[in-house]
Each structure stands twice: as structure tokens, then as C-alpha cells.
Amino acid sequence: MSIEVKNVSRVYGSFAALNNVSLSVKKGELIALLGPSGSGKTTLLRIIAGLDWPDAGDISLNGKSVIGEGASERGVGFVFQHYALFKHLSVFENVAFGLRVRPRATRPSNDEIKDRVMRLLKLVQIDWLADRSVTQLSGGQRQRVALARALAIEPEVLMLDEPFGALDAKVRLELRRWMRRLHEEMGMTTIFVTHDQEEAMELADRVVVMGQGKIEQIGTPQQIYGHPINPFVYEFLGQVNRLPCTVAGGVATIPGVAVEPSFRVRQFDGPGVAYIRPHDLEATPGKDDGVVRVLAPSGPTIKFEVELKNGNGSVEVQMNTGRFEALKIAPGMSVGLIAHTFKVFDPSQVDGEANGTTSSAAHA
Amino acid sequence: MPAEFDSFTSGNVETRRRRLLTEPPVVRTTLLTLGIGFLVLFIGLPLVTVFTEALRKGWDAYLSALHEPAAFAAIELTLTVAAISVPLNMVFGVIAAWCITKFEFRGKSFLITLIDLPFSVSPVISGLVFVLMFGLQGWFGHWLSDNNIKIIFATPGIVLATIFVTFPFVARELIPLMQQQGTEEEEAAVILGANGWQTFWRVTLPNIKWALLYGVLLCNARAMGEFGAVSVVSGHIRGKTNTMPLHTEILYNEYNFVAAFAVASLLALLALVTLVAKSILEWKLKQAHALHAKSIANAES
Ligand SMILES: Nc1ncnc2c1ncn2[C@@H]1O[C@H](COP(=O)(O)OP(=O)(O)OP(=O)(O)O)[C@@H](O)[C@H]1O
Ligand SMILES: [Mg+2]
């Protein structure tokens, strides 16, 4: 089912939770809504599902406006952030709910319901829990029940609100992979909310980055990560160093940091702010741009801080551990810095100071 | 996280309780004696008195006092009034609690205050309000008497007064529970295709059933035992508009002690049954609350 969101706004009191949001999703796509807390992800999802109404704008499913239809008529599968399982029902009955409430004419027989529910429970790998009360399940098991329950009505669209948010890292990874496979098998249009950029990047065909009730950028994970269109998206997708720079004829100069000679900045001229990811910076011994301060080794790469000599604060550098060891870099050592690739934004687009390191909320 | 927090606080309660138990024995015994003595004196003794007075002249006198037509009529009226007002209040209470907890609207806090009004007004005043409205001199008095409808000094008046006085019980019991439970499960039901009615029967009601029963129980106890408001609207017509509490008072004023206490003993029995049912329900309710808390904790852990 294709989804078309046109100029949707939603205002709570005087606060605009969604401000003129437009989005179109093709049939069979897997879309991630990514954004910081309070950016309106849940609100948008609820409006598409029919649990909330826009103050302006239109929602179409399969090209037909559904603004006049309630949630029960839209045939959308929804997995709530805290699952919202029916506490008084067993796992089986939770999954069977959507079939049992159908009008008699379209309601499957008891045997069919049993068949279908057990098939779904097998699919989500918890058929052995069918008779358990949902209050006796672990978080991951609840998540699977919620998913099976949503799938039972054979929705053409599946929406998941932070489906993995409440799970521990290992279960999260496992369910994530499993969901990707499920999507490939069943091929239904899927939208999921997350504030974890890694999750969005790994799972989604396209990522929708939201901030403050607006869509900042829509694109494939590669587009979003490689070409963030504004500082907000850039910062949200990972750690970044911000340093003042000037660009003349495509050549950027950053005080205190050397720039890869072949690197050109496109469509920019004059003073700006360079956004450099830690792994796009490299430290080299024998020069004197800054002093190595703190080291944080983490497996194949190593992260460290370099305090700039010119007083522009410190930058974070991430390097290959092998290369790092070959260069024999140690705390207190003076090093030179070279930036391989980065992006320059207009200072007026940037809030806060133009130097130092920032990290995204999701990265923490 | 909440689970941890819980065990932390309950650990605290545990130590506090232990400290209470380590009070010097003298203090402990004195406090206990005082507490139990108070209970016996003010609650146990009157209860025993009711039954001993009722049975003073033996079983036969007791039974014949209850078989007397006026007493019988009082019992019948009381049951009728309860049978009408309790189900109505159950329905109204659920509707009121549903509106308050599942929707956002203007004037909500005013509605909550209004629900509590019968508790904060003296029952006698409540009765008087109905007399002022429906009595012969009242607002609708002329119209009613022209149309030959009798409300005051008749069963409808008693029912109305009882409904008014007992309205808050169900709603007050449900509102906190439903607020705690939120609307997520209902939303889940709707999105799975359930209509409003199915959502109520299959999701909301099962979640509130123990609290609802509890409210109904209290509502019923009060409906059968209400004196003040009913006294004002009833007119005390023997065999016609006397409920059990009113009939007890009349018998007592006529120095017919055995009969008075016989009727009173039925009310006391009702109270005892209510008490037992109440403790069972409280236990069930606690389970339901714990279940809810547990499912939240699990979902967030
Ligand atoms: N019913 C409501 N009444 C008032 N304000 C609301 C309501 N629902 C949401 N908001 C506000 O709208 C904004 C967006 O909320 P929303 O739940 O969509 O955020 P979100 O992106 O899902 O955040 P999170 O990642 O924390 O779940 C928030 O600032 C929130 O306070
Ligand atoms: Mg949310």
C-alpha cells in the first residue's frame, strides 16, 4: 500500500508537534522515521494510522484520502512502543483479537483462527508460549506477540513505534535482523520509528530525518549519511567536529588543520563552518597543530582528543588501531592534523559556537 | 528500572516494619490493647447488641417480626430501590469514568468535582433538593400533580434520592484505575478493527471489572442503608414508603424493640456480607494493580 502524507500539521495547544509535513512512501518500502525525542515521530505515525487527526493536510492510502476514516477502517498494523498487549488475555487470544472482532460475515471460523494464530506464532518463534498469560513474558517475547498481533489482520501497512527501544542490545540486534528478513519475505509497506541512527541506517530503504516537527531530509541511508543537507542532519547522524573555515574557489582553509589537497568544497564561498567526522580526520606525528589528550581504544579503531594549539578547542579523531600503533602516537605528543573530507555550512545555519566537538543524541 | 525502584522502596518499608516490631513490649502491648479495645467498644459491641436485642424473645418472635406486613413491605421497598438505583449508577458511573479518563475536553475538572458533590453535601440537604423540585410546592409540583405523577412521598422520590446519594461510589472507584491504565490498550483494539462496543466489552471492562464490582458493592451497601435523604422524601407511610432503615426507626420510636432490632439485624447482616465481599475484592484488585505494574515494569526493563 502506498502512503501519501500531504502538508500535515498538528498543533497541541500552541505547540506545533508537526509543521507542514509531506512524505510519500511507495508500496513495499521500509521507511525509518529518525529524529530526536519530541520531534514528532510518534505523532506522525499515529496520524497515519488514524489514532490522531491532523489540524491541516491530508493522508492518502493507495491514492485514496482516508482523512474521514477511523483507525479501525484503515487496516493498518501498529506495534506500540510499550506493546499495549491485552493484559487479561493469553498470548494466543492477543494475536486472535483482530480476527475475533470482525463482523460475522468476514470472521474466520474457530479452526481457521486457530490455524492462523499458530502460524503467526511460529513465524515470530513463540508458538510454545501460546497459552501463557502475556504478563509472564520477557520484553523480547512481548515484542514478538505485539508483532504477531499486528500481522494477524493481514495489514498492507505495518507501523512500529520504537519497536526495539525497550530491549537490551543483543536482543535488539537479533530482532532487527529478523525484522529485515520478515520484511523481505512479506513485502508489506513498513514504517518504523527510531531515534537510533544505526538502526535506521541498517534497516531502512529510505530514512526520514525529523527535527522539531519538520522533516529535515529524506533519502537512502547512503544519501543521508554521505550528503546531509544541513547541520542538524549532519550532527544527528553521528559525532562531528565543527571548526571555522574559509572557502575560496572550492579550496577550504581551516586554521589549525591541514586539508587534503585534492579536496574541493562545492557550492560554497566565503567564511563557513567545516563539519568533520572524527574518522575523516587523521593525526600525523612530526607536526605541531595540537596535543594528544585523551585516548579511548575501542576494538578495531581508536578515538582520541587533540587540543588545538590555536585556541579553537579540541577535536575528536578516530583512527584505525593498526595505523595508530604504527605511528606510535601517545598522550602528550604534538601532532599534525589532516582532514580528508568534510562539509561546509553557512555560519547562519549553525547554532552554537563553531568550534569543538558535538555528538548526536542517538550516539550517546 | 521501575522494578528496581520498587524493590528499593519496599526494602525500606521492610526495615521500617521491623523497627516497629522491635518497640519495647510494654509499648506494643499497650498500643495493641488500646486499638483492639476501641474496635470492640465501638464496632463489635453495637453489632452484638443488634443481634442479642433482636433475638431477646427467641427465634419465633424474631421471625414473626420480620414476617409482619409492614416489615415485609420495608424489605421489599429497600430491595426494589437498590435494584433500580444500583444498576443505573453502575452504568452512569462507568460512563462518567470513561468520559473523564479516555477523552480530553473542556470542563473536565468541573465534572470531577460534580461527581463528588453528593459526598460533600449532607444527605438531608440532598433529600430537600428533591422535595424542592418535585414536591407539591416545588418547581415541577403543579405539572406533576396535574398529570397525576407522584414522586415525593412515593417510590420514585426514594429511588431518585438514593441514586443521587450513591452516585459517586462507582465513578470514584474507577477513575484512578482507568487513569493509571491509560488508553493504549483501547487504541490497540481499535486499530485491530474493534468497534467502540467491542473495545469496551473486550478490553476496558475486563481491565476494570474488580474495581467496578467493588464500587457496586459499596454503592449497594449505601443504597440499602441510606437514611437521611430517603427520610426527607419518603413521608414515612407505613407499609408503603418506608425503607428498612426508616422502618427500624419507627419501630424503635414505638418501643417495639425486638421488631426494630430484627429489621436492623438484616441491615447488619448486609454490612457483614459486604465486608467479606469487600476484602475478597480488595485482594483481587491488588492483584490486578500488581499485574499492571508488573507489565509496565517488564515492558520498560
Ligand atoms: N497529546 C498531546 N498533548 C500535548 N502535546 C503533545 C501530545 N502528544 C505529543 N505532544 C507533544 O508533541 C511533541 C512531539 O511528540 P511525539 O510523541 O510525536 O515525539 P517523538 O518524536 O515520538 O518523541 P520520542 O522519541 O520521545 O517518542 C512533543 O513535544 C510532545 O510533548
Ligand atoms: Mg515517540
Side-chain angles (χ1 to χ4, degrees), chain A residues 120-194:
Chain A
L120 278 165
L121 288 178
K122 261 204 200 81
L123 181 77
V124 297
Q125 302 160 347
I126 47 167
D127 45 326
W128 52 287
L129 290 171
D131 297 324
R132 281 267 191 100
S133 155
V134 292
T135 53
Q136 302 167 351
L137 302 182
S138 74
Q141 290 166 342
R142 277 160 207 249
Q143 169 63 265
R144 289 162 192 261
V145 178
L147 200 58
R149 184 178 70 174
L151 292 174
I153 59 169
E154 299 182 329
E156 287 186 67
V157 181
L158 184 61
M159 306 214 232
L160 308 105
D161 194 354
E162 304 211 13
F164 315 116
L167 305 172
D168 68 58
K170 191 164 165 290
V171 181
R172 218 173 147 126
L173 209 69
E174 191 182 308
L175 272 175
R176 201 197 277 177
R177 301 258 150 85
W178 179 80
M179 198 183 104
R180 176 81 232 184
R181 271 205 312 279
L182 186 82
H183 178 260
E184 273 156 18
E185 273 167 37
M186 307 187 73
M188 80 194 95
T189 315
T190 306
I191 304 184
F192 74 98
V193 165
T194 179

Side-chain angles (χ1 to χ4, degrees), chain A residues 41-43 81 161-162 193:
Chain A
K41 306 180 297 287
T42 299
T43 308
Q81 190 164 0
D161 194 354
E162 304 211 13
V193 165

Side-chain angles (χ1 to χ4, degrees), chain B residues 75 96 115 174 177 205 244 266:
Chain B
I75 296 171
I115 287 176
L174 293 183
L177 181 71
L205 196 60
M244 283 160 75
L266 290 184

Side-chain angles (χ1 to χ4, degrees), chain A residues 46 49 51 71-72 76 78 80 82 84-88 97-98 100-101 135 137 142 149 153 166, chain B residues 181 184-185 187-194 198 202-203 206-207 291-292 294-295 298-301:
Chain A
R46 288 171 58 87
L51 291 171
S72 58
V76 160
F78 202 102
F80 290 80
H82 293 297
L85 298 178
F86 305 125
K87 290 186 288 297
H88 62 289
F97 189 93
R100 294 212 193 278
V101 295
T135 53
L137 302 182
R142 277 160 207 249
R149 184 178 70 174
I153 59 169
Chain B
Q181 290 178 339
E184 267 213 331
E185 280 188 48
E187 284 180 346
V190 167
I191 234 168
L192 288 167
Q198 288 171 321
R202 288 169 178 265
V203 177
N207 277 336
L291 209 68
H292 180 75
K294 196 176 137 206
S295 70
N298 272 352
E300 285 176 359
S301 67

Side-chain angles (χ1 to χ4, degrees), chain B residues 250-268:
Chain B
I250 291 181
L251 291 172
Y252 188 82
N253 286 345
E254 291 168 348
Y255 304 105
N256 193 348
F257 294 133
V258 168
F261 279 105
V263 178
S265 72
L266 290 184
L267 287 171

Side-chain angles (χ1 to χ4, degrees), chain B residues 181-227:
Chain B
Q181 290 178 339
T183 51
E184 267 213 331
E185 280 188 48
E186 276 83 5
E187 284 180 346
V190 167
I191 234 168
L192 288 167
N195 58 34
W197 193 240
Q198 288 171 321
T199 306
F200 176 75
W201 278 107
R202 288 169 178 265
V203 177
T204 308
L205 196 60
N207 277 336
I208 60 168
K209 62 179 181 230
W210 297 117
L212 179 62
L213 261 175
Y214 188 84
V216 165
L217 188 77
L218 294 184
C219 178
N220 182 58
R222 181 71 187 267
M224 291 190 171
E226 174 57 23
F227 183 85

